[in-house]
Every structure is written in structure tokens, then in C-alpha cells.
Amino acid sequence: MAAKLELSDPIVNMAQESSIAETDPLQAPEARFECPICLAWLRDPMQTSCGHRFCRKCIQSWLERENACPVDNKPLDKDHDIFPDNFTRREISQQRLKCPNVVRGCLEDLSPLDVEIHLTHCKYGLPKLPENEKLRCNFVIFGCDAKFEDEPEQQRHMEQETQKHLMLISQAYSKLILSNSASSSTAAIAEQANFWDPPSKNDANGSMQNSSNSNESVHNLLRSLYEKIVVLEQKTREQDIIIANMSEQIAANNLAMSKLSLRYCNGCYLWHITDFKNKINQMRVNHQLMHYSSGFYTSPNGYKLCIRFNLSPKDPNSIAILIHMMKTDHDNSLDWPFSGRISVTIVHPLESFHNMRETMMTRPELEAFKRPVQDLNPRGFGYTEFTLIEDLFTQGFIDNNQLAIKVIVQPV
């Protein structure tokens, strides 16, 4: 497999300084003239015995650290397997490129390898800062005193310090309002009232302009920035609404999926009772407190049931587990009373042979198995003393403060 260059590779760092061609899409070289290492125009091109071309400095620096071609990973000897490629050198020298300052008026046609030297003295280039002068933040007039070595560093600052710049703008605007109020309260109130209004078409004397050009410039800049802030706030609000709607949709989908799983479980339901210790303590305080599971179905259009657990009315140190029939919209298509086999299991989280399992057959004469007339048949059927609470804790049935109860219902 061919070796891959990492961003920390010194050759890549060297490439970042090699030519303006790598940052300007209009100056990008053709693939046959591009060095695979620095990704810029080939400089003093060399060809390897495996048929690849590189800049002389790039391939020599590479072979000082590696003994294989950077492209296909074939072994290379720096003294015997690389050769000058004069044909490619002539082809590159015959290529002509426009100066990158063509948009400012420079019409020079240059060899790709001469562009960098030309830019150092091109009269159409951007003026260079004095050696002791650094780039300043665009919000320097509002009080940001940050300085930078280069434009990328300046750009990162602009992206990361948005909140700081907005605060400085707000402070500058407040100071401007206070200053105008101090000089002339009446004029300031009128100016604030009409600040965002467009100028009158019939006002030939420009009465709405500020008393000085500097104040007018600051007002225009603040207005432009304020409008951008308003637009950004509107977009942020729109995104918040979209996210809220998507969250609601996801919650609705999750709820629908959970209901589907209950409907298509074929009568096999696993109930995880969370916060079990707290529920037990609450039931010991209030013996009438009971907890019910979600309703599940024996088939997509079958019977609907749920599980109930509470403290045993006979022995408060034991738990009771009972089954309740629930009402559906298709009860008229089912046979009543319900008849079948019900298996109740308290699941051990680590060792299945420790599971506590009991199986019971329904009794059609009982009210608990007749067709429900309410959403939940208040009559249940099951075990009023299934097991001692202490045994659940001592035998390791409680895992992460939750108890798992599995019920299998098989109609017959």
C-alpha cells in the first residue's frame, strides 16, 4: 500500500511555502506537472525508476527518511533510482500563466515557476505592512486590540470572537447614544426616532445627515452591522424551530416504534422495573400503591394484557405479580373469556438457571378473564406472594437498581 503523508510531515510544511499555485485554483498545475509530495508545480523535476515525477528537493528530503516511492511504495535508492527529467522541465517552462494580480490590472504572462518571484515586486500587488507592523482586527475601531502575524490567523480570530465583537458594537452604540444625548437631548431624540428611516426624497438640503462626516460613517457602519445581526438572529430562531420540530418528530417516531414492538411481541414481554428500591420504599409507605407495565399483545390483532406488581396484601415483605386484561378496538373479533397459559419469570441478570418461573392456566369463570368494559380490567389474576423482597436483593436479581420480569402468554 502506498505511503500517505501526514499533516505534520516537514515536506508538507515546505509545500505550504513553495508557491502561490497551491492556494489559487486558477494557478493549479495539471496532474502531469504536479509534484505528488508538495502538490505544487514541479521544480527541478526528477523522475524515479518506477516512473513518477517529483521536485528535486521534495524527493531528496523524502528519501532521507524513507527508502520507498511515496506513490507506490516501491523501493528507491536516492543515488541510483532518480534522474533529472529535462523534457518535463522544458514543458513547464513553456507553460504561461497570468499574474494572480490580473484583477488589479497586471497583464504579465509568466512561467509557473516565475510567478512567486514576480509577486515580490509586482506593482499591482497589495501593499505590504512594515516589518514592525502587524495585521489588526477589522473591529479595531470598536476597541478590539488583537494583532496577527498573517491573514489566516486574523480569519480564525474573526470566526472565534463573534460574541466579543458583538459586545463591542453594542457598547459603542450605547456610548454614541449617550454622547448625542449629552450634547443635545432634543436633537438626539429626534435622530434616534428617525435613525432607521430612509431619507426624504424632497429633502434637497440633506437635513437628515449627521453634523459631521465621521458620525455619519459610524452610523452607516452600525446600521449595516445591526441589520446583519438581525438576519443572523432570525436564521438562528428558524434553526431552533426546525430542531424543535425534528425533536418532536423523532420522539413521535420513537413512541410509534415502541408501540409497534408491543403489538408484535407475540405475547412475550420483558418488563424492566427501574428505580426498584425507591418504588419498594414508596409502596411500604403507601400500601395501596401499584405499578403497571405497558400493554402488550398476544398477536397484532390478539388479546392485550399488562403486568402489575405491588406489595403482597398478606405479607408486606413479599411482592405480588398479577396479569390484567386490557381493552382493544378489535375485542369483538376475539373469543371471550380469555383462555390460555401464562408464564411469569423473574429474570436473573447473570445466571439464567437462577430465574424464578411460575406457570398458570387461566380460569374462564373468573371475572379477570372476561371481556374488559374499561381500558383496564380492574380484576387481576396471578401470584399475591410471588417471592420475598429480601431474596431479590440477596440473590442478585437487582441489577443497576432495576428488576426484570418476563411474561409469556399463549392463548389456547
Side-chain angles (χ1 to χ4, degrees):
M1 181 180 293
K4 295 183 179 179
L5 298 177
E6 301 293 336
L7 292 178
S8 59
D9 198 304
I11 296 180
V12 177
N13 295 334
M14 175 185 70
Q16 295 173 349
E17 302 174 356
S18 62
S19 171
I20 191 172
E22 61 184 294
T23 59
D24 186 353
L26 297 177
Q27 307 289 334
E30 298 179 35
R32 61 194 178 107
F33 298 142
E34 182 183 68
C35 174
I37 295 179
C38 66
L39 304 180
W41 288 90
L42 288 165
R43 293 176 176 274
D44 197 6
M46 303 290 288
Q47 186 172 8
T48 65
S49 58
C50 55
H52 299 105
R53 298 184 179 89
F54 304 91
C55 300
R56 178 187 292 273
K57 288 184 179 180
C58 291
I59 190 61
Q60 288 179 345
S61 298
W62 176 267
L63 292 178
E64 287 178 359
R65 300 179 297 109
E66 305 287 344
N67 294 321
C69 175
V71 177
D72 58 17
N73 212 28
K74 289 187 177 180
L76 291 178
D77 184 280
K78 65 179 181 178
D79 297 324
H80 301 95
D81 293 329
I82 58 174
F83 316 95
D85 191 342
N86 295 323
F87 177 78
T88 302
R89 186 201 313 273
R90 285 196 302 271
E91 281 193 305
I92 293 176
S93 65
Q94 292 170 3
Q95 300 291 318
R96 310 309 295 174
L97 297 176
K98 290 291 185 182
C99 173
N101 293 323
V102 63
V103 294
R104 303 188 186 98
C106 184
L107 302 179
E108 290 285 341
D109 284 328
L110 306 163
S111 166
L113 303 181
D114 295 334
V115 172
E116 187 174 357
I117 297 175
H118 168 77
L119 288 176
T120 60
H121 60 268
C122 179
K123 64 180 181 180
Y124 293 95
L126 294 175
K128 293 185 177 180
L129 295 171
E131 293 184 0
N132 59 349
E133 183 67 22
K134 295 184 178 180
L135 292 174
R136 302 296 299 272
C137 175
N138 293 344
F139 289 85
V140 62
I141 61 173
F142 295 103
C144 184
D145 55 359
K147 297 181 180 180
F148 317 98
E149 297 292 341
D150 50 35
E151 291 185 1
E153 184 181 353
Q154 183 190 43
Q155 183 62 28
R156 286 193 296 272
H157 168 79
M158 297 294 292
E159 295 174 353
Q160 297 171 0
E161 299 295 338
T162 303
Q163 294 294 333
K164 175 183 177 180
H165 295 153
L166 290 176
M167 183 181 68
L168 291 174
I169 293 171
S170 176
Q171 292 175 352
Y173 182 74
S174 300
K175 290 179 181 179
L176 179 63
I177 295 300
L178 291 175
S179 176
N180 289 341
S181 298
S183 60
S184 176
S185 59
T186 303
I189 293 173
E191 182 178 352
Q192 293 173 38
N194 298 310
F195 184 76
W196 303 111
D197 294 337
S200 174
K201 295 182 179 180
N202 299 323
D203 190 359
N205 297 324
S207 59
M208 298 299 294
Q209 295 180 351
N210 294 322
S211 60
S212 67
N213 291 334
S214 60
N215 282 342
E216 180 180 2
S217 176
V218 172
H219 274 295
N220 291 337
L221 179 58
L222 287 174
R223 179 182 305 198
S224 175
L225 293 171
Y226 179 79
E227 291 173 352
K228 291 181 179 179
I229 293 172
V230 171
V231 171
L232 291 174
E233 288 180 346
Q234 290 175 343
K235 290 183 177 180
T236 301
R237 179 57 181 164
E238 291 173 359
Q239 293 297 324
D240 289 342
I241 294 174
I242 292 173
I243 292 173
N245 291 338
M246 292 180 66
S247 299
E248 292 178 0
Q249 186 66 37
I250 291 172
N253 291 340
N254 290 338
L255 179 60
M257 291 298 295
S258 65
K259 290 182 178 179
L260 282 177
S261 65
L262 293 171
R263 196 174 191 99
Y264 291 88
C265 68
N266 293 323
C268 181
Y269 178 62
L270 182 62
W271 183 25
H272 291 280
I273 304 174
T274 57
D275 196 18
F276 182 76
K277 294 180 181 178
N278 188 42
K279 287 182 171 65
I280 292 294
N281 292 332
Q282 290 174 353
M283 288 189 294
R284 282 173 172 163
V285 174
N286 180 9
H287 289 271
Q288 304 300 319
L289 185 61
M290 303 176 183
H291 294 277
Y292 295 85
S293 73
S294 301
F296 62 96
Y297 292 77
T298 58
S299 63
N301 292 306
Y303 298 92
K304 185 179 182 182
L305 309 92
C306 71
I307 313 171
R308 185 189 93 198
F309 104 93
N310 54 273
L311 294 184
S312 171
K314 298 179 180 180
D315 180 8
N317 293 317
S318 301
I319 64 169
I321 300 178
L322 298 96
I323 301 297
H324 287 260
M325 303 301 298
M326 299 184 70
K327 188 177 182 180
T328 73
D329 56 1
H330 55 266
D331 281 346
N332 57 347
S333 66
L334 301 174
D335 296 329
W336 296 99
F338 171 72
S339 177
R341 178 185 291 105
I342 301 175
S343 173
V344 180
T345 304
I346 296 182
V347 181
H348 194 280
L350 299 177
E351 300 170 332
S352 59
F353 60 85
H354 285 318
N355 291 350
M356 298 181 184
R357 181 181 294 106
E358 297 289 346
T359 301
M360 57 187 175
M361 295 299 297
T362 60
R363 295 166 57 184
E365 72 275 10
L366 296 179
E367 193 72 26
F369 298 108
K370 293 183 180 180
R371 179 175 175 175
V373 295
Q374 306 175 29
D375 288 340
L376 174 71
N377 190 336
R379 298 279 185 162
F381 182 77
Y383 301 93
T384 57
E385 297 179 52
F386 194 94
T387 186
L388 291 172
I389 298 173
E390 183 180 357
D391 290 345
L392 296 176
F393 287 98
T394 58
Q395 296 178 22
F397 284 89
I398 309 303
D399 182 37
N400 286 332
N401 198 21
Q402 71 177 11
L403 177 69
I405 299 177
K406 180 180 179 180
V407 173
I408 300 177
V409 181
Q410 297 173 312
V412 294

